[in-house]
Amino acid sequence: MAMSAMGPCCAVASAAPKWLQEAALRMNAHYAGQQWKALEGMYHEGAVIIPLCGERFVRGSEAGGLWSHEEGVIKEVKFTPKTTYQQSPLVLHEVGALTLTLQPQVEGGACDVRHTNYYTRWVQQAPAEWVIAFQCLSCGSHDDKVECRLIGVCSLMAGGSEAAIGTHGTDPPEWLVKKARTFAGMYNAEAVLSLVTQYYHPNAILIPPEVDIVKYTELRGYYKDSVRRHANQGVVFHPMRCLAEGTNVYHELGCATDASGSSWQYYVRWVKEDEVHDWQANIDICVVADVHRHEMAA
């Protein structure tokens, strides 16, 4: 699940491989050249994308439409890989910095720049052919200075045709609501061992507010620090929107709150290996679209 405050974690830092650096350059160039089909081709057809404002899901087959509509607001994008984790020969996790140059609001005006962080899960579908299976275009907490630079992007996009791309998903199933309730109980009771072993898949990763990569074997240390920092804060998790991917993968967007009145959006990818195993968290992004708290709360 997801926490709102920052704490030290054991990140798996690795330089981006050459193919990933080249992929980032291609994405930037495809966007600059308005080559929407080429950009869409970098995504698996069944990929899931969480757009900048974090309010819905977009399929890989809709990626070209998503980016072409955002071009009305965003003049230029720049993906810069920062940290990677090669989980297997066929799966690579990436976090990086995303710089957005906005279209001028008046003719001849200056182009404002916004900054955020992104997460991408890459899969190899053929030798030397990597495609995006999942992407969250804005994740992690921002300090006040950077956060203020993000404010305005969602307002500019709201109400336009861009909002028609993708789906808000479905209401969460009962099993997910119960898991969120039980998880919150364990977190607030500081039952770290049960929390990690019961809710996370052994191949799980967590993206903390600092936007790093935390492996399953590091989760206990991460949560021990997190629960100490949030003792008696009464964190509650509210699953909001879900998207099924086949019968054994569920994507969840939720909202978390605590007793101080803070709230933040999170994402979890749930997997179910077979009928014997329960649903387990496979990817946990602690904070999604931090600007959501300021612009999209209504």
Side-chain angles (χ1 to χ4, degrees), residues 61-94:
S61 57
E62 303 170 307
L66 170 70
W67 285 111
S68 65
H69 286 303
E70 293 192 344
E71 193 268 341
V73 174
I74 301 170
K75 180 180 181 180
E76 182 180 273
V77 302
K78 182 180 179 182
F79 288 88
T80 304
K82 292 169 60 179
T83 301
T84 64
Y85 167 42
Q86 182 97 36
Q87 190 170 50
S88 75
L90 302 179
V91 177
L92 182 136
H93 303 278
E94 172 205 1

mmCIF file of all heavy atoms in Angstrom, residues 61-94:
data_model
loop_
_atom_site.group_PDB
_atom_site.id
_atom_site.type_symbol
_atom_site.label_atom_id
_atom_site.label_comp_id
_atom_site.label_asym_id
_atom_site.label_seq_id
_atom_site.Cartn_x
_atom_site.Cartn_y
_atom_site.Cartn_z
ATOM 1 N N SER A 61 -2.829 0.827 -26.344
ATOM 2 C CA SER A 61 -3.375 1.061 -27.681
ATOM 3 C C SER A 61 -3.951 2.469 -27.823
ATOM 4 O O SER A 61 -4.275 2.902 -28.934
ATOM 5 C CB SER A 61 -4.475 0.032 -27.982
ATOM 6 O OG SER A 61 -5.495 0.076 -26.991
ATOM 7 N N GLU A 62 -4.091 3.190 -26.690
ATOM 8 C CA GLU A 62 -4.598 4.558 -26.707
ATOM 9 C C GLU A 62 -3.488 5.588 -26.479
ATOM 10 O O GLU A 62 -3.757 6.787 -26.375
ATOM 11 C CB GLU A 62 -5.662 4.742 -25.612
ATOM 12 C CG GLU A 62 -6.832 3.785 -25.718
ATOM 13 C CD GLU A 62 -7.727 3.839 -24.487
ATOM 14 O OE1 GLU A 62 -7.197 3.692 -23.356
ATOM 15 O OE2 GLU A 62 -8.952 4.018 -24.661
ATOM 16 N N ALA A 63 -2.249 5.114 -26.376
ATOM 17 C CA ALA A 63 -1.142 6.007 -26.013
ATOM 18 C C ALA A 63 -0.958 7.136 -27.020
ATOM 19 O O ALA A 63 -0.697 8.278 -26.643
ATOM 20 C CB ALA A 63 0.152 5.211 -25.875
ATOM 21 N N GLY A 64 -1.082 6.822 -28.308
ATOM 22 C CA GLY A 64 -0.929 7.856 -29.325
ATOM 23 C C GLY A 64 -1.955 8.961 -29.158
ATOM 24 O O GLY A 64 -1.641 10.147 -29.254
ATOM 25 N N GLY A 65 -3.203 8.570 -28.891
ATOM 26 C CA GLY A 65 -4.259 9.555 -28.671
ATOM 27 C C GLY A 65 -4.018 10.375 -27.431
ATOM 28 O O GLY A 65 -4.246 11.585 -27.416
ATOM 29 N N LEU A 66 -3.543 9.729 -26.351
ATOM 30 C CA LEU A 66 -3.248 10.444 -25.113
ATOM 31 C C LEU A 66 -2.203 11.526 -25.351
ATOM 32 O O LEU A 66 -2.399 12.704 -25.011
ATOM 33 C CB LEU A 66 -2.746 9.467 -24.060
ATOM 34 C CG LEU A 66 -2.167 10.100 -22.794
ATOM 35 C CD1 LEU A 66 -3.267 10.751 -21.967
ATOM 36 C CD2 LEU A 66 -1.405 9.070 -21.958
ATOM 37 N N TRP A 67 -1.087 11.144 -25.959
ATOM 38 C CA TRP A 67 0.007 12.099 -26.150
ATOM 39 C C TRP A 67 -0.353 13.186 -27.164
ATOM 40 O O TRP A 67 0.040 14.342 -27.005
ATOM 41 C CB TRP A 67 1.269 11.365 -26.571
ATOM 42 C CG TRP A 67 1.925 10.623 -25.445
ATOM 43 C CD1 TRP A 67 2.018 9.275 -25.286
ATOM 44 C CD2 TRP A 67 2.577 11.196 -24.313
ATOM 45 N NE1 TRP A 67 2.688 8.973 -24.121
ATOM 46 C CE2 TRP A 67 3.047 10.136 -23.501
ATOM 47 C CE3 TRP A 67 2.815 12.511 -23.905
ATOM 48 C CZ2 TRP A 67 3.733 10.349 -22.316
ATOM 49 C CZ3 TRP A 67 3.506 12.724 -22.717
ATOM 50 C CH2 TRP A 67 3.956 11.647 -21.937
ATOM 51 N N SER A 68 -1.104 12.832 -28.202
ATOM 52 C CA SER A 68 -1.455 13.845 -29.198
ATOM 53 C C SER A 68 -2.371 14.908 -28.592
ATOM 54 O O SER A 68 -2.260 16.095 -28.929
ATOM 55 C CB SER A 68 -2.125 13.208 -30.423
ATOM 56 O OG SER A 68 -3.377 12.622 -30.085
ATOM 57 N N HIS A 69 -3.262 14.520 -27.694
ATOM 58 C CA HIS A 69 -4.133 15.491 -27.039
ATOM 59 C C HIS A 69 -3.354 16.344 -26.047
ATOM 60 O O HIS A 69 -3.613 17.534 -25.892
ATOM 61 C CB HIS A 69 -5.300 14.790 -26.344
ATOM 62 C CG HIS A 69 -6.343 14.289 -27.298
ATOM 63 N ND1 HIS A 69 -6.990 15.116 -28.178
ATOM 64 C CD2 HIS A 69 -6.843 13.047 -27.512
ATOM 65 C CE1 HIS A 69 -7.850 14.412 -28.902
ATOM 66 N NE2 HIS A 69 -7.778 13.149 -28.515
ATOM 67 N N GLU A 70 -2.389 15.741 -25.349
ATOM 68 C CA GLU A 70 -1.611 16.508 -24.382
ATOM 69 C C GLU A 70 -0.694 17.509 -25.090
ATOM 70 O O GLU A 70 -0.250 18.489 -24.477
ATOM 71 C CB GLU A 70 -0.822 15.571 -23.474
ATOM 72 C CG GLU A 70 -1.742 14.754 -22.566
ATOM 73 C CD GLU A 70 -1.010 14.027 -21.467
ATOM 74 O OE1 GLU A 70 0.218 13.896 -21.556
ATOM 75 O OE2 GLU A 70 -1.687 13.598 -20.513
ATOM 76 N N GLU A 71 -0.436 17.283 -26.377
ATOM 77 C CA GLU A 71 0.405 18.210 -27.130
ATOM 78 C C GLU A 71 -0.227 19.592 -27.200
ATOM 79 O O GLU A 71 0.469 20.598 -27.372
ATOM 80 C CB GLU A 71 0.645 17.648 -28.551
ATOM 81 C CG GLU A 71 1.744 18.339 -29.332
ATOM 82 C CD GLU A 71 1.223 19.476 -30.194
ATOM 83 O OE1 GLU A 71 0.010 19.494 -30.456
ATOM 84 O OE2 GLU A 71 2.036 20.336 -30.575
ATOM 85 N N GLY A 72 -1.559 19.674 -27.016
ATOM 86 C CA GLY A 72 -2.219 20.967 -27.006
ATOM 87 C C GLY A 72 -1.831 21.815 -25.803
ATOM 88 O O GLY A 72 -1.971 23.034 -25.820
ATOM 89 N N VAL A 73 -1.352 21.163 -24.738
ATOM 90 C CA VAL A 73 -0.946 21.859 -23.523
ATOM 91 C C VAL A 73 0.570 21.830 -23.358
ATOM 92 O O VAL A 73 1.176 22.813 -22.923
ATOM 93 C CB VAL A 73 -1.621 21.232 -22.285
ATOM 94 C CG1 VAL A 73 -1.102 21.852 -20.997
ATOM 95 C CG2 VAL A 73 -3.134 21.376 -22.385
ATOM 96 N N ILE A 74 1.164 20.691 -23.721
ATOM 97 C CA ILE A 74 2.596 20.474 -23.480
ATOM 98 C C ILE A 74 3.344 20.532 -24.808
ATOM 99 O O ILE A 74 3.109 19.732 -25.718
ATOM 100 C CB ILE A 74 2.831 19.117 -22.794
ATOM 101 C CG1 ILE A 74 2.065 19.070 -21.466
ATOM 102 C CG2 ILE A 74 4.318 18.885 -22.562
ATOM 103 C CD1 ILE A 74 2.046 17.701 -20.832
ATOM 104 N N LYS A 75 4.268 21.457 -24.909
ATOM 105 C CA LYS A 75 5.031 21.647 -26.145
ATOM 106 C C LYS A 75 6.123 20.594 -26.294
ATOM 107 O O LYS A 75 6.380 20.103 -27.393
ATOM 108 C CB LYS A 75 5.645 23.045 -26.158
ATOM 109 C CG LYS A 75 6.477 23.367 -27.393
ATOM 110 C CD LYS A 75 7.042 24.776 -27.321
ATOM 111 C CE LYS A 75 7.861 25.106 -28.559
ATOM 112 N NZ LYS A 75 8.425 26.479 -28.494
ATOM 113 N N GLU A 76 6.778 20.265 -25.190
ATOM 114 C CA GLU A 76 7.933 19.368 -25.254
ATOM 115 C C GLU A 76 7.999 18.529 -23.988
ATOM 116 O O GLU A 76 7.694 19.005 -22.896
ATOM 117 C CB GLU A 76 9.204 20.212 -25.394
ATOM 118 C CG GLU A 76 10.489 19.427 -25.525
ATOM 119 C CD GLU A 76 11.691 20.347 -25.655
ATOM 120 O OE1 GLU A 76 12.021 20.750 -26.794
ATOM 121 O OE2 GLU A 76 12.290 20.691 -24.608
ATOM 122 N N VAL A 77 8.383 17.264 -24.151
ATOM 123 C CA VAL A 77 8.611 16.392 -22.995
ATOM 124 C C VAL A 77 10.056 15.901 -23.031
ATOM 125 O O VAL A 77 10.647 15.752 -24.102
ATOM 126 C CB VAL A 77 7.651 15.180 -22.961
ATOM 127 C CG1 VAL A 77 6.205 15.630 -22.936
ATOM 128 C CG2 VAL A 77 7.902 14.243 -24.141
ATOM 129 N N LYS A 78 10.585 15.662 -21.846
ATOM 130 C CA LYS A 78 11.938 15.119 -21.756
ATOM 131 C C LYS A 78 11.975 14.065 -20.659
ATOM 132 O O LYS A 78 11.887 14.383 -19.475
ATOM 133 C CB LYS A 78 12.959 16.210 -21.462
ATOM 134 C CG LYS A 78 14.405 15.691 -21.406
ATOM 135 C CD LYS A 78 15.400 16.794 -21.100
ATOM 136 C CE LYS A 78 16.828 16.240 -21.036
ATOM 137 N NZ LYS A 78 17.801 17.307 -20.686
ATOM 138 N N PHE A 79 12.078 12.797 -21.071
ATOM 139 C CA PHE A 79 12.240 11.684 -20.145
ATOM 140 C C PHE A 79 13.731 11.480 -19.876
ATOM 141 O O PHE A 79 14.520 11.358 -20.814
ATOM 142 C CB PHE A 79 11.654 10.400 -20.727
ATOM 143 C CG PHE A 79 10.154 10.364 -20.782
ATOM 144 C CD1 PHE A 79 9.471 10.873 -21.874
ATOM 145 C CD2 PHE A 79 9.422 9.817 -19.748
ATOM 146 C CE1 PHE A 79 8.086 10.836 -21.940
ATOM 147 C CE2 PHE A 79 8.040 9.772 -19.789
ATOM 148 C CZ PHE A 79 7.364 10.279 -20.885
ATOM 149 N N THR A 80 14.108 11.426 -18.600
ATOM 150 C CA THR A 80 15.499 11.200 -18.229
ATOM 151 C C THR A 80 15.577 10.064 -17.220
ATOM 152 O O THR A 80 15.214 10.245 -16.051
ATOM 153 C CB THR A 80 16.129 12.463 -17.609
ATOM 154 O OG1 THR A 80 15.988 13.565 -18.517
ATOM 155 C CG2 THR A 80 17.609 12.233 -17.311
ATOM 156 N N PRO A 81 16.014 8.866 -17.625
ATOM 157 C CA PRO A 81 16.134 7.747 -16.682
ATOM 158 C C PRO A 81 17.108 8.082 -15.551
ATOM 159 O O PRO A 81 18.149 8.707 -15.779
ATOM 160 C CB PRO A 81 16.666 6.607 -17.554
ATOM 161 C CG PRO A 81 16.327 6.992 -18.967
ATOM 162 C CD PRO A 81 16.408 8.482 -18.995
ATOM 163 N N LYS A 82 16.753 7.670 -14.325
ATOM 164 C CA LYS A 82 17.612 7.939 -13.170
ATOM 165 C C LYS A 82 18.056 6.650 -12.482
ATOM 166 O O LYS A 82 19.238 6.443 -12.236
ATOM 167 C CB LYS A 82 16.877 8.845 -12.177
ATOM 168 C CG LYS A 82 16.637 10.248 -12.686
ATOM 169 C CD LYS A 82 15.685 11.027 -11.784
ATOM 170 C CE LYS A 82 16.198 11.157 -10.368
ATOM 171 N NZ LYS A 82 15.274 11.935 -9.503
ATOM 172 N N THR A 83 17.113 5.795 -12.137
ATOM 173 C CA THR A 83 17.408 4.562 -11.407
ATOM 174 C C THR A 83 16.684 3.397 -12.056
ATOM 175 O O THR A 83 15.526 3.530 -12.464
ATOM 176 C CB THR A 83 16.957 4.674 -9.931
ATOM 177 O OG1 THR A 83 17.619 5.771 -9.317
ATOM 178 C CG2 THR A 83 17.289 3.407 -9.155
ATOM 179 N N THR A 84 17.361 2.263 -12.170
ATOM 180 C CA THR A 84 16.741 1.072 -12.750
ATOM 181 C C THR A 84 16.992 -0.147 -11.870
ATOM 182 O O THR A 84 17.939 -0.178 -11.086
ATOM 183 C CB THR A 84 17.282 0.774 -14.166
ATOM 184 O OG1 THR A 84 18.675 0.474 -14.084
ATOM 185 C CG2 THR A 84 17.060 1.951 -15.098
ATOM 186 N N TYR A 85 16.131 -1.130 -12.017
ATOM 187 C CA TYR A 85 16.276 -2.407 -11.317
ATOM 188 C C TYR A 85 15.883 -3.515 -12.285
ATOM 189 O O TYR A 85 14.729 -3.619 -12.678
ATOM 190 C CB TYR A 85 15.410 -2.437 -10.067
ATOM 191 C CG TYR A 85 15.251 -3.806 -9.441
ATOM 192 C CD1 TYR A 85 16.309 -4.685 -9.315
ATOM 193 C CD2 TYR A 85 14.003 -4.207 -8.946
ATOM 194 C CE1 TYR A 85 16.155 -5.923 -8.738
ATOM 195 C CE2 TYR A 85 13.841 -5.445 -8.358
ATOM 196 C CZ TYR A 85 14.910 -6.305 -8.257
ATOM 197 O OH TYR A 85 14.745 -7.535 -7.683
ATOM 198 N N GLN A 86 16.847 -4.309 -12.701
ATOM 199 C CA GLN A 86 16.596 -5.428 -13.602
ATOM 200 C C GLN A 86 16.127 -6.605 -12.753
ATOM 201 O O GLN A 86 16.921 -7.337 -12.166
ATOM 202 C CB GLN A 86 17.866 -5.796 -14.375
ATOM 203 C CG GLN A 86 17.683 -6.918 -15.375
ATOM 204 C CD GLN A 86 17.447 -6.415 -16.792
ATOM 205 O OE1 GLN A 86 18.005 -5.426 -17.213
ATOM 206 N NE2 GLN A 86 16.614 -7.137 -17.533
ATOM 207 N N GLN A 87 14.817 -6.801 -12.687
ATOM 208 C CA GLN A 87 14.260 -7.827 -11.816
ATOM 209 C C GLN A 87 14.461 -9.233 -12.373
ATOM 210 O O GLN A 87 14.613 -10.194 -11.628
ATOM 211 C CB GLN A 87 12.770 -7.570 -11.593
ATOM 212 C CG GLN A 87 12.147 -8.440 -10.513
ATOM 213 C CD GLN A 87 10.760 -7.978 -10.166
ATOM 214 O OE1 GLN A 87 9.916 -7.762 -11.023
ATOM 215 N NE2 GLN A 87 10.514 -7.801 -8.879
ATOM 216 N N SER A 88 14.452 -9.344 -13.686
ATOM 217 C CA SER A 88 14.679 -10.622 -14.368
ATOM 218 C C SER A 88 15.180 -10.299 -15.769
ATOM 219 O O SER A 88 15.190 -9.132 -16.178
ATOM 220 C CB SER A 88 13.382 -11.433 -14.429
ATOM 221 O OG SER A 88 12.507 -10.905 -15.412
ATOM 222 N N PRO A 89 15.589 -11.311 -16.539
ATOM 223 C CA PRO A 89 16.031 -11.013 -17.910
ATOM 224 C C PRO A 89 14.948 -10.351 -18.764
ATOM 225 O O PRO A 89 15.265 -9.713 -19.774
ATOM 226 C CB PRO A 89 16.402 -12.395 -18.462
ATOM 227 C CG PRO A 89 16.775 -13.187 -17.243
ATOM 228 C CD PRO A 89 15.843 -12.733 -16.177
ATOM 229 N N LEU A 90 13.674 -10.489 -18.353
ATOM 230 C CA LEU A 90 12.573 -9.987 -19.172
ATOM 231 C C LEU A 90 11.850 -8.790 -18.572
ATOM 232 O O LEU A 90 10.925 -8.255 -19.190
ATOM 233 C CB LEU A 90 11.558 -11.113 -19.433
ATOM 234 C CG LEU A 90 12.089 -12.367 -20.127
ATOM 235 C CD1 LEU A 90 10.975 -13.383 -20.295
ATOM 236 C CD2 LEU A 90 12.704 -12.020 -21.476
ATOM 237 N N VAL A 91 12.224 -8.361 -17.361
ATOM 238 C CA VAL A 91 11.519 -7.263 -16.686
ATOM 239 C C VAL A 91 12.528 -6.267 -16.118
ATOM 240 O O VAL A 91 13.464 -6.664 -15.424
ATOM 241 C CB VAL A 91 10.611 -7.784 -15.546
ATOM 242 C CG1 VAL A 91 9.947 -6.616 -14.826
ATOM 243 C CG2 VAL A 91 9.557 -8.741 -16.085
ATOM 244 N N LEU A 92 12.310 -4.983 -16.414
ATOM 245 C CA LEU A 92 13.150 -3.924 -15.867
ATOM 246 C C LEU A 92 12.260 -2.805 -15.337
ATOM 247 O O LEU A 92 11.311 -2.379 -16.009
ATOM 248 C CB LEU A 92 14.105 -3.373 -16.921
ATOM 249 C CG LEU A 92 15.062 -2.277 -16.432
ATOM 250 C CD1 LEU A 92 16.474 -2.502 -16.949
ATOM 251 C CD2 LEU A 92 14.575 -0.879 -16.856
ATOM 252 N N HIS A 93 12.561 -2.338 -14.124
ATOM 253 C CA HIS A 93 11.849 -1.219 -13.519
ATOM 254 C C HIS A 93 12.703 0.038 -13.647
ATOM 255 O O HIS A 93 13.917 -0.006 -13.420
ATOM 256 C CB HIS A 93 11.560 -1.496 -12.048
ATOM 257 C CG HIS A 93 10.773 -2.746 -11.809
ATOM 258 N ND1 HIS A 93 9.395 -2.801 -11.918
ATOM 259 C CD2 HIS A 93 11.172 -4.012 -11.468
ATOM 260 C CE1 HIS A 93 8.983 -4.029 -11.648
ATOM 261 N NE2 HIS A 93 10.040 -4.772 -11.376
ATOM 262 N N GLU A 94 12.050 1.140 -13.972
ATOM 263 C CA GLU A 94 12.766 2.410 -14.161
ATOM 264 C C GLU A 94 12.041 3.537 -13.448
ATOM 265 O O GLU A 94 10.806 3.622 -13.496
ATOM 266 C CB GLU A 94 12.836 2.746 -15.656
ATOM 267 C CG GLU A 94 13.378 4.134 -15.969
ATOM 268 C CD GLU A 94 12.907 4.686 -17.311
ATOM 269 O OE1 GLU A 94 12.135 3.990 -18.013
ATOM 270 O OE2 GLU A 94 13.291 5.823 -17.643
#
